[in-house]
Amino acid sequence: RMACRGAGMLPHRRRPFGAAVLVLAVSSLVPAARAFYLPGVAPIEYPQGGRVELKVNKLTSVKTQLPYGYYVLPYCQPESIQDSVENLGEILVGDMIENSPYEINMMVNETCKVLCKKELTQEQKDKFRSMIDDEYTVNWLVDNLPGATRYTRSGAEPATFWYMNGFPVGIERNGAYYIHNHVRLLLKYHASPYDYEGYRIVGFEIEPHSLVQALRSDPLELSGLAGVCSEGAASPLHELDAHTEIAFTYDVVWTESEQRWASRWDSYLKMTGGQIHWFSILNSLMIMLFLSGMIAMIMLRTVYRDITKYNELATAEEAAEETGWKLVHGDVFRKPRFSKLLAVSVGSGMQIFGMSVVTLIFALLGFLSPAHRGGLLQSMMLLFTFMGVLAGYTTARFYKIFCADDWKTATLLLAFFYPGIMFTVFFILNLFIWGEKSSGAVPFSTMFALLVLWFGISVPLVFLGSYFGFRKEAIELPVRTNQVPRQIPAQPWFVRPVFSSLVGGVLPFGAVFTELFFIMSSLWQHQFYYLFGFLALVLCILIVTCAEISIALTYFQLTAEDYNWWWRSFFSSASSALYVFLYSIMYFTSRLNIDRTVSMILYYGYMFLISLVFGLLTGSIGTIASFSFVKVIYSSIKVD
């Protein structure tokens, strides 16, 4: 047994942060009988003629990735603009949900209802023109349901259609700019008199139009104007430069639907093309299972043969001629270089792993409904904070293997090194967003809330986990470490660290690249992502693949009598993060049309953080799997 000296252990937005903790606590106390309708997403029944509120959200662009508040453009405003209650996740993604002057009543149709009439200054026209050039879309909400524009694929038989979130600010044709100043709101409701009274909203579509309305005075209308909206080839469009005034009008059309309230999100969640997704996931699953089975079979047969051979060596002559991984038994658990950083990296990876698993469990149980805007991000932030206990415990257990007793330094490094990198990059990127005057800039009050989460909760939990980890006895190792390191023979080029690590990263990346495409489309093209069942399956494939590829490469390395396997086992899986970043470059050039410097900095900054998180996750899985494998095989042989 390796003997170690025991390591001693000495005994106007802050409200969203508090609300976030409160929501998490309350949601855990919801009784099972009410598990279907979570707090905040229970259906609302409207009486006939009852007021239905239309709320406005941020203006978004795939081209710039910089959101702006709705009233940055000279749209019609209510008497007083009121923000809706926001959670931490909503603030971090830049949501700005505000009230609007639109008047909608349940089952009351409207035709060409005038909202307001405004004169546009040259500065306001330039702002519209800039927003149209950058392909900004308007995002509205009715009954917590986002407005979507329906597009029909021309020439397809039968006719197929898909939904896009929001509607464009306007369009540009041959150098002329046209504003979408008239909208038709297509609202669907479902009624079930035997189950409940009133009507539930189950659909919200928007048809944007650009037209010149005929207006007349009407004292009966709230705006004082009545309008006539005519469409067709003979009707003029509202060209921005041809008019100094603009009128905003809208239609409201109610239709009954057989769709139930519980399934009203189905139309939005089908945006990503289900058929392609199914085939891609199944293809990836089959390839990964085949490769995993093949590696597992080879490893089991080869290792079993080696152990049998080593245990049957009888004479001193045979023992003197022995080769392979048994020769390095006196060095296999030797302390690696930068052991402190390795322990911290594995601990941080386990923190991310714990956060990912618990988040997926909540998502699969339906707790992270898309109706809870920002709920997913908020949950991940809080769970990452609470998983500091797991990170501290893992780092302490690994660091104690190396007979190290400076627990304070290791724990401080764990609490501040990787979180510090992420917070610094995030803060710098936020300064760029703030410089663009975008609503996506996180206010400093929210920054303070994040620092409270970090210093007030995460750091103490990391120390708590380290305390329990160092209090336990060190993990018993099956062989002793020699005083003098054994000389490592010359290695062929294909088992050297850089090449083997790069090869090892291909399989974990191959397990996730299909799902990665849909996740990146959700992040950067503002599509909905709610396929958590697929994501859980992919995470399982990723865990198995990382473990097996790290075990295989560690075994081949030990067979070549190279005992420096600690960092190699980490990077053989963690190198998949490099492929994730390279894939993000390919995605940027092939899928996105970003040309602003700030937007490019944001994209690559956030993709660097995602790649770093992915590398820590996969690397920690590979290191723990390889350590368990090495411990098992050296326990199975007889060593004098």
Side-chain angles (χ1 to χ4, degrees):
R1 178 187 302 183
M2 178 183 282
C4 289
R5 181 162 52 92
M9 190 74 181
L10 297 176
H12 100 124
R13 290 198 184 189
R14 296 183 191 176
R15 289 176 298 165
F17 166 66
V21 179
L22 184 63
V23 166
L24 191 74
V26 171
S27 63
S28 65
L29 300 174
V30 177
R34 292 190 58 207
F36 182 77
Y37 293 142
L38 301 177
V41 289
I44 299 174
E45 288 85 28
Y46 294 90
Q48 184 170 354
R51 188 170 187 274
V52 177
E53 189 175 8
L54 186 148
K55 296 181 180 180
V56 297
N57 201 349
K58 60 189 176 183
L59 305 171
T60 55
S61 168
V62 173
K63 196 172 179 181
T64 68
Q65 301 296 332
L66 294 168
Y68 288 94
Y70 177 77
Y71 293 113
V72 165
L73 288 176
Y75 287 123
C76 305
Q77 297 185 9
E79 291 181 1
S80 63
I81 299 174
Q82 299 171 347
D83 291 343
S84 294
V85 177
E86 299 173 11
N87 60 43
L88 186 61
E90 281 184 307
I91 297 173
L92 291 175
V93 298
D95 278 351
M96 288 185 65
I97 301 169
E98 298 163 318
N99 60 329
S100 76
Y102 287 86
E103 291 185 351
I104 304 173
N105 297 289
M106 174 58 72
M107 297 180 67
V108 177
N109 292 337
E110 301 281 0
T111 303
C112 202
K113 190 175 180 66
V114 180
L115 197 62
C116 72
K117 181 180 179 182
K118 305 187 77 167
E119 288 208 13
L120 294 181
T121 64
Q122 189 58 42
E123 183 182 354
Q124 291 172 332
K125 287 185 177 182
D126 291 340
K127 190 68 176 175
F128 265 122
R129 196 177 291 109
S130 173
M131 288 285 189
I132 294 171
D133 283 335
D134 288 332
E135 300 173 7
Y136 272 86
T137 57
V138 180
N139 297 284
W140 287 350
L141 298 164
V142 166
D143 192 39
N144 215 17
L145 203 61
T149 306
R150 177 166 159 169
Y151 291 87
T152 305
R153 200 182 307 277
S154 59
E157 289 293 337
T160 57
F161 60 88
W162 73 97
Y163 290 96
M164 294 296 291
N165 197 16
F167 66 92
V169 170
I171 55 172
E172 183 267 332
R173 292 288 184 271
N174 302 320
Y177 293 83
Y178 303 96
I179 306 296
H180 285 144
N181 61 332
H182 176 80
V183 289
R184 179 171 291 126
L185 307 177
L186 306 174
L187 292 153
K188 299 178 182 178
Y189 66 90
H190 179 76
S192 181
Y194 297 104
D195 298 325
Y196 54 85
E197 294 182 0
Y199 306 90
R200 294 176 178 176
I201 297 174
V202 295
F204 178 30
E205 294 179 24
I206 302 171
E207 286 184 8
H209 300 271
S210 177
L211 50 87
V212 177
Q213 306 94 329
L215 302 181
R216 57 180 174 80
S217 297
D218 189 344
L220 298 178
E221 294 289 340
L222 191 64
S223 63
L225 295 169
V228 177
C229 305
S230 56
E231 299 178 63
S235 302
L237 304 180
H238 191 284
E239 186 181 346
L240 186 63
D241 294 321
H243 299 84
T244 58
E245 293 183 332
I246 185 169
F248 291 96
T249 55
Y250 63 100
D251 301 339
V252 179
V253 180
W254 290 94
T255 54
E256 188 169 6
S257 172
E258 294 298 319
Q259 190 170 35
R260 298 176 62 84
W261 186 90
S263 59
R264 66 178 187 162
W265 278 87
D266 289 358
S267 300
Y268 300 88
L269 304 181
K270 289 176 183 174
M271 287 183 185
T272 50
Q275 207 68 18
I276 299 172
H277 195 92
W278 273 100
F279 283 118
S280 300
I281 288 291
L282 289 174
N283 182 47
S284 177
L285 176 64
M286 295 302 294
I287 292 173
M288 290 305 110
L289 288 178
F290 172 74
L291 290 173
S292 300
M294 184 176 66
I295 291 173
M297 188 171 62
I298 291 171
M299 294 305 303
L300 287 172
R301 292 187 60 184
T302 308
V303 172
Y304 179 77
R305 186 189 65 206
D306 288 348
I307 291 172
T308 305
K309 183 181 76 172
Y310 291 150
N311 287 337
E312 288 177 352
L313 291 176
T315 65
E317 292 79 8
E318 289 175 320
E321 294 173 1
E322 72 180 41
T323 59
W325 52 266
K326 186 181 179 184
L327 277 178
V328 297
H329 65 80
D331 298 276
V332 71
F333 291 109
R334 186 173 299 282
K335 180 180 177 179
R337 296 177 65 192
F338 309 111
S339 58
K340 192 178 298 177
L341 182 59
L342 176 65
V344 167
S345 299
V346 173
S348 297
M350 281 296 99
Q351 187 175 9
I352 295 165
F353 176 77
M355 173 202 72
S356 304
V357 170
V358 177
T359 301
L360 275 176
I361 290 172
F362 277 120
L364 290 171
L365 292 174
F367 282 85
L368 299 179
S369 163
H372 265 317
R373 286 175 305 278
L376 178 63
L377 183 57
Q378 176 180 274
S379 300
M380 291 174 68
M381 293 281 300
L382 294 172
L383 287 170
F384 180 81
T385 302
F386 296 139
M387 287 297 164
V389 174
L390 179 61
Y393 182 82
T394 306
T395 295
R397 300 297 288 149
F398 259 85
Y399 201 44
K400 208 167 181 182
I401 295 171
F402 306 137
C403 297
D405 56 1
D406 53 336
W407 63 272
K408 292 180 182 177
T409 313
T411 308
L412 283 171
L413 195 64
L414 172 65
F416 294 107
F417 183 64
Y418 288 114
I421 292 174
M422 294 177 188
F423 185 83
T424 302
V425 174
F426 173 72
F427 183 78
I428 293 171
L429 294 177
N430 192 63
L431 290 179
F432 281 106
I433 302 173
W434 179 74
E436 293 290 317
K437 297 180 174 57
S438 166
S439 69
V442 177
F444 285 101
S445 58
T446 307
M447 284 286 186
F448 179 77
L450 293 178
L451 290 174
V452 169
L453 271 177
W454 183 10
F455 288 93
I457 301 177
S458 180
V459 173
L461 288 177
V462 166
F463 272 86
L464 181 66
S466 293
Y467 173 78
F468 287 118
F470 276 105
R471 279 283 300 272
K472 291 194 70 172
E473 288 292 322
I475 298 173
E476 183 178 350
L477 301 177
V479 290
R480 292 191 301 271
T481 300
N482 296 335
Q483 294 294 326
V484 180
R486 176 186 175 85
Q487 186 175 356
I488 299 172
Q491 301 292 309
W493 64 271
F494 53 84
V495 293
R496 288 180 182 170
V498 174
F499 181 79
S500 61
S501 295
L502 290 176
V503 169
V506 172
L507 280 180
F509 173 73
V512 301
F513 84 94
T514 302
E515 208 65 22
L516 185 64
F517 170 81
F518 290 100
I519 292 172
M520 290 181 66
S521 296
S522 172
L523 287 174
W524 302 111
Q525 298 195 34
H526 309 148
Q527 297 178 2
F528 289 101
Y529 183 88
Y530 201 59
L531 300 169
F532 293 112
F534 284 126
L535 194 58
L537 181 61
V538 167
L539 181 62
C540 294
I541 297 171
L542 179 67
I543 293 168
V544 173
T545 308
C546 288
E548 290 187 346
I549 197 66
S550 292
I551 288 171
L553 292 176
T554 299
Y555 171 74
F556 294 140
Q557 181 183 349
L558 293 175
T559 304
E561 300 176 21
D562 182 358
Y563 52 81
N564 294 322
W565 62 273
W566 284 102
W567 275 109
R568 191 89 64 92
S569 66
F570 183 85
F571 283 115
S572 59
S573 296
S575 60
S576 55
L578 175 63
Y579 294 104
V580 170
F581 192 76
L582 292 175
Y583 180 76
S584 72
I585 296 174
M586 189 192 77
Y587 186 90
F588 181 87
T589 55
S590 62
R591 292 277 174 177
L592 299 178
N593 187 27
I594 295 176
D595 49 16
R596 280 196 193 182
T597 304
V598 172
S599 302
M600 292 171 65
I601 292 172
L602 290 177
Y603 176 83
Y604 285 113
Y606 284 124
M607 287 312 301
F608 165 76
L609 291 181
I610 291 172
S611 301
L612 176 63
V613 166
F614 189 76
L616 290 172
L617 171 66
T618 53
S620 61
I621 293 170
T623 303
I624 291 174
S626 293
F627 172 70
S628 303
F629 168 75
V630 171
K631 187 167 172 287
V632 166
I633 63 172
Y634 281 95
S635 301
S636 304
I637 60 171
K638 291 180 285 189
V639 179
D640 296 332

